[in-house]
Amino acid sequence: MLELLMKRRSIRKYKPETVSEESLRKIMQAALLSPSSRGRNPWEFIVVQNKEVLQELGKCRHPKQAFLPDTPAAIVVLGDASLTDVWVEDCSIAMTIMQLEAETLGLGSCWIQIRNRMAQGEEQTSNDFVKELLHIPEQYEVLAILALGVPDEEKPGRMLEELQYSKIHNEEF
Ligand SMILES: Cc1cc2nc3c(=O)[nH]c(=O)nc-3n(C[C@H](O)[C@H](O)[C@H](O)COP(=O)(O)O)c2cc1C
């Protein structure tokens, strides 16, 4: 696991090929295996591969997320805020687990923040923009989008010697 974590980097450039059905299935299975507070599983996932929708989805942020239209697949992660007050934590865990499963499958991924962000033009929240575009029912809030694809950029992994060990405190701060 540590080796996988050292290797993982955010990838924003992807080859045009589609993500295989098998990889997508495994990533979605990983998401559904995520732990959640009180096992309430407040998350829902929308897998988007339609080019036109991905093009539109690129406008979910200001300034726009330029790489999203060229991303082969995107998984929109939303939580039911009426089910639990910790849907943000639950959805974040699912996002991370999907990123790690993607990494094991040789796929690149990148988190695109939606919650607390504004859409292109800054007239609408990113949440409202995505909800409108994807016909998401009222009670859900969009946390983030996971961009996914076969990497078309290489980034160096991280070395254990370079970690910020000063962030770790013993017994008290
Ligand atoms: C909560 C969160 C929000 C992020 N939002 C964005 C985003 O909106 N757009 C983006 O390109 N990357 C986003 N990222 C990716 C970070 O920029 C990236 O993880 C960080 O710079 C460290 O780089 P690495 O992932 O390659 O280790 C986000 C990551 C996290 C964890």
Side-chain angles (χ1 to χ4, degrees), residues 5 7-12 61 65 67 92 95-96 99 109-114 117 143-145 155-156 158:
L5 293 169
K7 201 157 68 74
R8 187 214 55 82
R9 296 296 313 275
S10 293
I11 298 298
R12 300 180 179 84
R61 285 279 304 277
Q65 294 283 295
F67 67 98
S92 299
M95 281 287 290
T96 304
Q99 283 204 279
S109 71
C110 187
W111 183 310
I112 296 169
Q113 182 67 19
I114 296 300
R117 295 289 180 268
L143 178 90
I145 299 173
K155 287 187 173 178
R158 296 214 164 79

Side-chain angles (χ1 to χ4, degrees), residues 18-30 49 101-102 104-105 107 148:
T18 53
V19 176
S20 74
E21 280 302 313
E22 196 195 351
S23 289
L24 268 180
R25 193 184 64 247
K26 285 183 174 168
I27 291 166
M28 297 327 302
Q29 285 170 330
Q49 296 181 90
E101 179 61 22
T104 66
L105 296 166
L107 294 171
L148 269 181

Side-chain angles (χ1 to χ4, degrees), residues 42-46 76-83 87 126-143:
W43 15 250
E44 305 275 334
F45 305 94
I46 305 177
V76 182
V77 180
L78 26 143
D80 186 341
S82 70
L83 263 188
W87 66 272
S126 299
N127 177 54
D128 287 345
F129 176 86
V130 175
K131 280 177 80 167
E132 204 173 291
L133 181 67
L134 303 179
H135 310 118
I136 296 170
E138 187 56 34
Q139 80 259 32
Y140 296 102
E141 304 287 336
V142 184
L143 178 90

Side-chain angles (χ1 to χ4, degrees):
M1 178 56 105
L2 209 49
E3 273 169 28
L4 184 88
L5 293 169
M6 286 164 68
K7 201 157 68 74
R8 187 214 55 82
R9 296 296 313 275
S10 293
I11 298 298
R12 300 180 179 84
K13 202 163 179 274
Y14 305 99
K15 296 202 167 134
E17 64 200 73
T18 53
V19 176
S20 74
E21 280 302 313
E22 196 195 351
S23 289
L24 268 180
R25 193 184 64 247
K26 285 183 174 168
I27 291 166
M28 297 327 302
Q29 285 170 330
L32 295 172
L33 285 164
S34 304
S36 69
S37 172
R38 299 186 187 177
R40 290 208 171 143
N41 303 350
W43 15 250
E44 305 275 334
F45 305 94
I46 305 177
V47 182
V48 180
Q49 296 181 90
N50 180 306
K51 285 273 161 229
E52 283 162 27
V53 180
L54 287 165
Q55 187 73 38
E56 270 307 293
L57 213 47
K59 301 175 190 161
C60 68
R61 285 279 304 277
H62 188 89
K64 73 176 174 200
Q65 294 283 295
F67 67 98
L68 201 39
D70 296 320
T71 297
I75 299 167
V76 182
V77 180
L78 26 143
D80 186 341
S82 70
L83 263 188
T84 169
D85 59 351
V86 290
W87 66 272
V88 172
E89 288 85 343
D90 291 337
C91 290
S92 299
I93 290 168
M95 281 287 290
T96 304
I97 285 188
M98 289 194 293
Q99 283 204 279
L100 296 179
E101 179 61 22
E103 188 70 35
T104 66
L105 296 166
L107 294 171
S109 71
C110 187
W111 183 310
I112 296 169
Q113 182 67 19
I114 296 300
R115 194 177 73 90
N116 287 349
R117 295 289 180 268
M118 295 300 288
Q120 194 176 12
E122 293 191 292
E123 281 172 7
Q124 203 178 15
T125 63
S126 299
N127 177 54
D128 287 345
F129 176 86
V130 175
K131 280 177 80 167
E132 204 173 291
L133 181 67
L134 303 179
H135 310 118
I136 296 170
E138 187 56 34
Q139 80 259 32
Y140 296 102
E141 304 287 336
V142 184
L143 178 90
I145 299 173
L146 188 67
L148 269 181
V150 176
D152 197 17
E153 63 175 335
E154 269 189 42
K155 287 187 173 178
R158 296 214 164 79
M159 308 291 280
L160 294 182
E161 304 80 57
E162 294 167 355
L163 299 182
Q164 294 177 291
Y165 291 103
S166 64
K167 298 273 188 194
I168 298 167
H169 310 274
N170 278 318
E171 310 299 348
E172 59 182 44
F173 194 92

